[in-house]
Amino acid sequence: MILPNPAFDALMFGLLLLAAGLDSAFPALHGAASLLIVGGATYWAAQELGDSLLRRVGWTQEALATSVALCTGGFLYFVVRNSSDLALLVLSIGLMMGALMVAISVFSALHAALKEGSATPILGWAATVICALALGFTAGVLALFLGQASNDLLPLKIGGILGAYVLWKLREKLAPPSVNPHFQEVAAQAAAPTPTPLTALRVALFPQRGTLLDRLFPLLVLGVLMLSLARNGAQLNFPSSPAVAASEEGEAR
């Protein structure tokens, strides 16, 4: 399913506003609404990151990009925001699957490098890990900030999301993004004389121009800035993790 750009923008930024509002109003959620929405966007953006690296570098693995990004963001959420048994269970499963994906990608990159006699797969692997780590870290910071159970921070949350929307629209006007690669695929499939049943059943949401990562990038940057601003203003309410609590208790003694 192809959405016009305004509809896709309204869906993405609207869900972020909804999640931020829910987490501010209901502390019992422990920031879960923002974590789910930002996590879903991160998974999508990591896939687009893999596509971009494949075109620019020449080698990547989508599973590597998504697993590293999600595990990084999830680990940050667990350590800083929610150290419950449920969060630990989910994180443990995610880390095990992520470790498996990393191991597979290492063997795949080495095999491709030896087979092709080129260092491109190794460089592609390193670029994928570095970019996915950066994406996961900034997404985790954004989820931590939007998930804060504080009505005092709600105006800052709304302002940050709306500011990211304005920055995206300015970029869209000043440097229009290219046509979404998935839009080109669907257009080519629609023009085919006999589409396959698998193609006919494929359903996905994506905009006509640009990617979700294009729209998410300004918010990731603003998320880091807003978290720093809130920390300086002493408005954050992060529960201490067991390790941090033990360290603080030892210092007190």
Side-chain angles (χ1 to χ4, degrees):
M1 182 184 299
I2 302 170
L3 291 180
N5 282 354
F8 187 88
D9 294 343
L11 178 63
M12 173 183 162
F13 290 99
L15 287 175
L16 288 168
L17 287 170
L18 176 62
L22 288 174
D23 286 330
S24 290
F26 302 101
L29 291 176
H30 297 286
S34 296
L35 179 68
L36 290 176
I37 298 302
V38 175
T42 303
Y43 178 80
W44 192 334
Q47 292 180 320
E48 296 173 339
L49 176 65
D51 294 338
S52 177
L53 289 174
L54 182 61
R55 294 191 301 270
R56 298 173 183 272
V57 181
W59 192 95
T60 190
Q61 273 199 344
E62 182 180 294
L64 174 64
T66 55
S67 60
V68 171
L70 290 178
C71 287
T72 302
F75 180 79
L76 192 62
Y77 171 80
F78 170 78
V79 171
V80 178
R81 184 70 175 88
N82 185 359
S83 301
S84 66
D85 292 339
L86 178 59
L88 177 59
L89 175 63
V90 175
L91 177 63
S92 299
I93 295 173
L95 289 176
M96 286 189 293
M97 297 180 64
L100 178 61
M101 294 299 103
V102 171
I104 293 174
S105 68
V106 169
F107 287 116
S108 298
L110 292 175
H111 178 266
L114 293 175
K115 183 178 179 180
E116 300 172 5
S118 170
T120 297
I122 305 299
L123 295 176
W125 184 91
T128 302
V129 171
I130 293 172
C131 293
L133 282 172
L135 174 61
F137 177 80
T138 53
V141 169
L142 177 63
L144 288 173
F145 175 74
L146 295 182
Q148 277 291 289
S150 171
N151 290 325
D152 294 337
L153 287 177
L154 187 57
L156 185 59
K157 295 180 185 180
I158 296 175
I161 295 173
L162 294 180
Y165 173 75
V166 171
L167 290 175
W168 155 247
K169 299 306 289 186
L170 287 175
R171 186 256 164 154
E172 190 178 27
K173 294 294 183 182
L174 299 177
S178 58
V179 177
N180 192 292
H182 295 290
F183 174 78
Q184 295 175 330
E185 292 178 8
V186 172
Q189 292 169 357
T194 55
T196 63
L198 191 61
T199 298
L201 292 175
R202 181 181 179 184
V203 178
L205 293 175
F206 44 82
Q208 293 176 327
R209 301 186 68 86
T211 63
L212 182 141
L213 183 57
D214 292 332
R215 294 161 169 81
L216 187 62
F217 180 77
L219 186 57
L220 294 176
V221 176
L222 289 178
V224 175
L225 296 176
M226 289 187 297
L227 187 69
S228 300
L229 180 63
R231 183 179 292 275
N232 292 334
Q235 293 179 323
L236 296 181
N237 184 29
F238 289 139
S240 297
S241 64
V244 175
S247 176
E248 292 177 349
E249 183 179 354
E251 292 178 357
R253 290 179 181 178

